[in-house]
Structures are given as structure tokens and as C-alpha cells.
Amino acid sequence: MEERRYRSASGAPIALRRRQHSASCRELAVRCPRLQLRSLSATTSAVWLAAYGLFVLSENSMVLSAAIFITLIGLIIYLHFVKIDQESLLVIGSLGIQVTSCYASGKESTAFIEMGRVKDVVINEAIHMQKVIYYLCILLQDPGDPQGVSEVVPLFQSSKPRLDCLIEVYKSCQEILEQRKTAPQSS
Amino acid sequence: ENSPSPLPERAIYGFALFLGSWFGFMLYLVWAYVPETWLFSLGLTYWPQKYWAVALPAYLLVAIGIGYILLFGINMMSTAPLNSTHNVTDNYAKKQQQKKFQEEAIPALRDIPISEVNRMFFLPET
């Protein structure tokens, strides 16, 4: 098990952790930076200053309580639905690939893709929000059409690692996926 | 046949456009500044309201400003999302025919599948 530091596409520090559970099972987890205290206090102060300005203009004290409420609810929603702590990829040769996202509030959402549907794991370049970024994605195939790509599942969407980190993940995944070709087909 | 060099016809078109645009500008100034009563006394009673002499330039400038934002937005909307297959392949690549490999000849131009490209770039086999 090893952990290395990299940078995300926007410059934030991220960490990649690789664990080899067995010869055909690997787990790769990318940990995003935690919620910064300075950005949290900056946002809260901005919202409360704006609410105080509205209170001074309108003389209505409900504005202040509404601002406190909005800040609390907004923080809870952000931590539970938006802020991702860790994204991990569990590749089990001959079984499938599991993608997990852990949110800052502790929520975990997973998706499992069986190996029969996985065509390949590739690094693709695409235009995203006025930038060209590299991103890792799983190419899915139709069981009836092994040559065509039916769906693309992008990975590590919120941590957005840079190419050096993606190459490490790509090499690890390819080592497991290559075993598919040499192993005898069961279906 | 299609060269960008100056020709007598092009000079005439240019001069006609020059005269026409000056005439249009003078007409616009007359419409905007000459009082309505003077225009009526000349018999020009059915010209548009002078309101439009101010409104049309305003509409035009706002339209140009929104046009910048609209173009930006349309471009962003037509960019394929990260999970679409258009980032990986398209109809031409799916339907291309494989040309037979000939010895001593440059290989035919074709769209290489992304798996192969990735292997070449990121898995060094030295």
C-alpha cells in the first residue's frame, strides 16, 4: 500500500493511494483536499454581511434569522451532496469494477460495473468548461457488439487528477485488465 | 477566376456602397433632428416615429452585447459532455473500412481506436 501526492487540474493537492489486495484485485483511491476553514468563514461572513446590509435597509429582523438558517442548511446540503472527500476505484479481475464516492458528510455512493460490460479503461482528452482536460473513463460495450462503445463512464470527476496521476491509475488498471485476455473465457 | 485583386467592377461596387452609406446616414440624421412640423410641411407625413431613431440603435447595441454572451452559451451547450461517446468516436470512425496492409507502403490513413492510442502513449514497451 502506498500513497503519493499529486495535483488536481485546478492546482489543489490530492493524494493517490494504491492497495493491492490480491493478484487480480486492486484498489485506487484519490483523496481530495478537505473543506478549508478560511473559505468556509469567508463564505459565512459574506452571507451574514449581506444579510446585515439588507437588515439595515429594510429594518426587518427576519432577514438575520433567515441568513443564519440559510447558512446552516446550505452548509449541510453542500457537505452531503456536493463536497466529495474521496473517490475510489476497485478493480477485481473477472468480476467487475466498483466506483465509490465518499462525501464529506459520510455518505458513500457506489456503482458496480460487471467485467462483461467493460471494454477498456482509457485516458481521454475532452473540452470541459473552456479547458481541455485529461480524464480517466471506463468504456462500456454492448454484449452483442464487442467492437462498439455503447457508453462512457468518466471517473474521478470531482478530484480531476492531472495526467501523471492518471497514468499511474491507468497502468494499474491495465495490468488487471490484461489478465482477461490470457485467462480462459468462462461465458 | 476567384482572385482577391482589385477590379474595375469592384471599385464601382465600393464607390456605390460608399455613396449609399453616406446617403443613408444623412437621411437618418434628417429623420432624427428635423422637427416633425417641418417634415409635414414638406409633405413627408408617413415617416416612422422619431422614437425609433433612438430605439433602434439602443436595440442594436443591446443585441450585440447579448450576442457575445449567447454565442458563448451556445458553444458551451454544444460541447459534448464528458460521458458522451462523441468524445471517443463518431460515425465516420465506426464505418471506416480496413485497408489491406501492403509491405513497403505507408499505412493507409485511418482513425485509430482510443485503446490502441492509450497503449502506445502510456504503456511504454521498451
Side-chain angles (χ1 to χ4, degrees):
Chain A
M1 164 158 147
E2 49 171 297
E3 177 161 330
R4 266 196 248 175
R5 298 194 182 285
Y6 291 97
R7 291 215 164 257
S8 81
S10 53
I14 58 174
L16 170 71
R17 200 178 59 202
R18 277 196 295 196
R19 292 183 69 169
Q20 173 132 355
H21 295 284
S22 85
S24 61
C25 177
R26 290 231 180 121
E27 184 178 4
L28 301 130
V30 172
R31 215 178 54 231
C32 310
R34 296 290 171 90
L35 181 63
Q36 301 279 344
L37 182 64
R38 56 175 173 221
S39 62
L40 177 64
S41 36
T43 318
T44 312
S45 323
V47 171
W48 286 359
L49 272 174
Y52 186 68
L54 270 177
F55 165 69
V56 162
L57 282 174
S58 68
E59 302 289 326
N60 183 5
S61 65
M62 278 297 287
V63 173
L64 295 174
S65 2
I68 295 176
F69 205 54
I70 286 174
T71 315
L72 279 175
I73 300 287
L75 182 65
I76 291 179
I77 289 180
Y78 177 71
L79 290 179
H80 195 66
F81 292 108
V82 175
K83 179 89 187 72
I84 289 190
D85 221 11
Q86 175 176 291
E87 290 170 307
S88 73
L89 193 66
L90 179 66
V91 184
I92 308 176
S94 82
L95 192 63
I97 300 182
Q98 176 168 287
V99 183
T100 317
S101 305
C102 305
Y103 290 83
S105 64
K107 172 173 103 158
E108 284 190 20
S109 87
T110 60
F112 180 75
I113 304 165
E114 54 175 359
M115 210 38 118
R117 284 178 61 200
V118 170
K119 183 164 188 276
D120 203 359
V121 172
V122 298
I123 299 179
N124 194 14
E125 316 169 308
I127 301 175
H128 176 71
M129 302 287 272
Q130 294 89 43
K131 274 201 286 206
V132 176
I133 58 165
Y134 290 100
Y135 67 107
L136 195 75
C137 57
I138 307 179
L139 302 178
L140 302 184
Q141 69 193 7
D142 248 342
D145 174 27
Q147 291 301 321
V149 176
S150 73
E151 220 181 299
V152 172
V153 176
L155 303 171
F156 301 128
Q157 292 250 297
S158 59
S159 45
K160 290 202 186 57
R162 288 191 178 166
L163 189 61
D164 43 8
C165 179
L166 288 180
I167 293 180
E168 294 300 322
V169 180
Y170 174 74
K171 283 187 196 163
S172 296
C173 289
Q174 285 296 320
E175 277 166 27
I176 309 255
L177 290 178
E178 267 163 11
Q179 297 168 4
R180 285 194 298 180
K181 281 181 258 172
T182 53
Q185 300 287 339
S186 57
S187 63
Chain B
E1 306 89 331
N2 298 332
S3 80
S5 65
L7 298 170
E9 293 91 13
R10 288 174 178 173
I12 295 174
Y13 299 154
F15 191 58
L17 273 176
F18 172 71
L19 288 180
S21 56
W22 264 114
F23 176 70
F25 186 51
M26 288 302 147
L27 193 64
Y28 171 74
L29 289 181
V30 161
W31 169 44
Y33 282 109
V34 170
E36 268 204 333
T37 44
W38 295 17
L39 292 175
F40 287 168
S41 66
L42 283 172
L44 308 165
T45 55
Y46 213 58
W47 279 22
Q49 282 182 325
K50 284 174 187 292
Y51 162 81
W52 293 108
V54 181
L56 284 177
Y59 271 123
L60 190 67
L61 287 175
V62 173
I64 290 174
I66 289 185
Y68 275 112
I69 302 173
L70 195 69
L71 192 65
F72 189 74
I74 289 180
N75 277 332
M76 277 183 74
M77 277 175 59
S78 8
T79 315
L82 288 186
N83 64 345
S84 104
T85 53
H86 293 288
N87 279 326
V88 180
T89 183
D90 66 357
N91 276 338
Y92 299 104
K94 284 185 210 159
K95 293 197 188 126
Q96 63 183 348
Q97 280 115 5
Q98 302 277 2
K99 295 215 174 73
K100 215 160 50 82
F101 176 71
Q102 292 169 327
E103 291 291 333
E104 305 277 331
I106 301 175
L109 196 66
R110 65 180 180 105
D111 189 47
I112 305 176
I114 186 166
S115 311
E116 226 173 290
V117 174
N118 265 248
R119 272 193 287 274
M120 189 198 82
F121 274 140
F122 304 126
L123 295 179
E125 289 162 32
T126 48

